[in-house]
């Protein structure tokens, strides 16, 4: 049903599942966090992980840090919408917050790898919009991983090595952005979100709106 508030028409629509993937260090997390700060209509899916917490990370904000045993329990009870092993640790998306957000028509952002993106595409294709972020060069990716300075050299090397396998999945995404300038990359993501929210097939309130609109057309 449409509502008119101070001359602005708001038309009910289904929530978006915005999936962002990239190799580690390409800027995906910065883009995701900035989007969360600026766009209050979008919520972030907080994953569970068996990875150790980095010093800058906060439990419940960046991840829910859980044991391997707890992860297995969640997986076995079907509480994860998707899950994957990435760089030797387990990661998964809790199902319930996503189902609640979608049923309320709210948008959600997922910072997940290509394996998770594939699983969400298979399960919820109509709601998923996927973006792949590429670094401008591998040298830049490497220096970003070093600048972050939160992982050991060994972890950085594993991530660099694994970036090739991640990058090879770029074709499976709806949009691809090369992050050679963070502001420009962020603008591109915002444009995608803006356009996707306007898609006709997502705006189920449009039918009633148009029905009402045409009744106002004067007859000859
Ligand atoms: P990091 O350890 O750097 O936080 O994340 C490593 C990788 O795991 C990133 O590519 C990130 O997007 C991915 N990841 C984080 N959470 C999830 C999740 O719930 N599911 C999947 N499939 N990947 C995730």
């Amino acid at each position: 049903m449409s509502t008119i508030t101070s001359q602005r028409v708001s038309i009910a629509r289904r929530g978006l599942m915005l999936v962002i993937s990239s190799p580690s260090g390409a800027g995906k997390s910065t883009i995701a966090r900035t989007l969360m700060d600026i766009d209050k209509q979008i919520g972030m899916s907080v994953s569970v992980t068996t990875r150790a917490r980095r010093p800058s990370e906060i439990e419940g904000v960046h991840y829910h840090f859980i044991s391997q045993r707890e992860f297995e329990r969640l997986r076995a009870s079907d509480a994860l919408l998707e899950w994957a092993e990435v760089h030797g640790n387990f990661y998964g998306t809790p199902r319930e917050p996503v189902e609640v957000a979608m049923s309320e028509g709210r948008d959600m952002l997922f910072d997940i790898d290509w394996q998770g993106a594939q699983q969400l595409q298979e399960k919820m294709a109509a709601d998923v919009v996927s973006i792949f972020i590429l670094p401008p060069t591998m040298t830049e990716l490497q220096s970003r991983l070093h600048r972050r300075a939160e992982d050991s050299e060994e972890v950085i090397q594993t991530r660099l090595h694994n970036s090739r396998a991640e990058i090879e999945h770029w074709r499976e995404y709806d949009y691809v952005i090369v992050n050679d300038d963070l502001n420009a990359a962020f603008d591109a993501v915002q444009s995608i979100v803006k356009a996707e929210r306007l898609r006709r097939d997502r705006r189920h309130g449009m039918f009633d709106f148009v029905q009402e609109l045409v009744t106002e057309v004067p007859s000859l």
Side-chain angles (χ1 to χ4, degrees):
M1 204 44 72
S2 63
T3 53
I4 299 181
T5 332
S6 5
Q7 297 308 307
R8 301 198 68 170
V9 181
S10 131
I11 290 157
R13 62 170 177 85
R14 289 218 312 265
L16 277 185
M17 292 175 68
L18 187 68
V19 174
I20 307 190
S21 302
S22 77
S24 265
K28 159 190 58 175
S29 301
T30 312
I31 289 173
R33 298 275 155 201
T34 313
L35 189 61
M36 296 297 309
D37 287 345
I38 286 181
D39 188 333
K40 299 300 174 201
Q41 283 187 61
I42 199 158
M44 180 111 193
S45 164
V46 181
S47 299
V48 293
T49 182
T50 61
R51 164 167 80 60
R53 190 174 66 78
R54 294 185 185 126
S56 66
E57 290 176 329
I58 301 164
E59 159 62 36
V61 174
H62 297 90
Y63 283 106
H64 298 290
F65 297 93
I66 61 172
S67 64
Q68 178 91 25
R69 201 183 163 141
E70 178 64 0
F71 189 92
E72 269 152 30
R73 194 189 64 74
L74 291 175
R75 193 170 60 184
S77 61
D78 206 25
L80 301 179
L81 191 55
E82 63 74 34
W83 66 273
E85 186 178 354
V86 190
H87 313 312
N89 297 298
F90 288 93
Y91 298 82
T93 300
R95 178 188 295 278
E96 203 190 322
V98 182
E99 289 183 345
V100 171
M102 290 301 110
S103 70
E104 293 174 355
R106 285 186 286 116
D107 301 328
M108 258 203 153
L109 179 68
F110 300 81
D111 170 344
I112 59 177
D113 84 326
W114 66 270
Q115 304 173 81
Q118 270 189 359
Q119 293 171 57
L120 294 190
Q121 279 289 5
E122 277 159 24
K123 289 181 184 161
M124 299 160 114
D127 298 320
V128 172
V129 174
S130 58
I131 305 178
F132 197 85
I133 315 270
L134 284 167
T137 63
M138 291 316 283
T139 314
E140 177 59 21
L141 188 74
Q142 188 164 6
S143 54
R144 283 183 196 167
L145 284 173
H146 281 115
R147 273 204 299 273
R148 183 157 80 186
E150 286 209 89
D151 294 316
S152 66
E153 187 56 32
E154 192 190 339
V155 168
I156 291 178
Q157 290 312 320
T158 308
R159 284 172 179 246
L160 271 175
H161 176 80
N162 293 347
S163 66
R164 187 190 186 107
E166 183 81 29
I167 289 173
E168 277 170 358
H169 290 273
W170 70 276
R171 286 185 196 82
E172 295 158 22
Y173 289 73
D174 299 320
Y175 299 93
V176 183
I177 297 173
V178 178
N179 180 14
D180 51 359
D181 175 274
L182 193 57
N183 287 333
F186 182 68
D187 278 355
V189 170
Q190 272 197 305
S191 307
I192 293 165
V193 171
K194 210 169 182 176
E196 288 286 345
R197 281 179 177 149
L198 291 171
R199 281 181 67 108
R200 177 187 41 74
D201 51 3
R202 250 185 254 295
R203 305 171 88 197
H204 54 73
M206 190 56 87
F207 183 80
D208 289 342
F209 175 76
V210 175
Q211 293 284 97
E212 274 175 50
L213 196 65
V214 292
T215 60
E216 290 166 21
V217 176
S219 46
L220 287 177

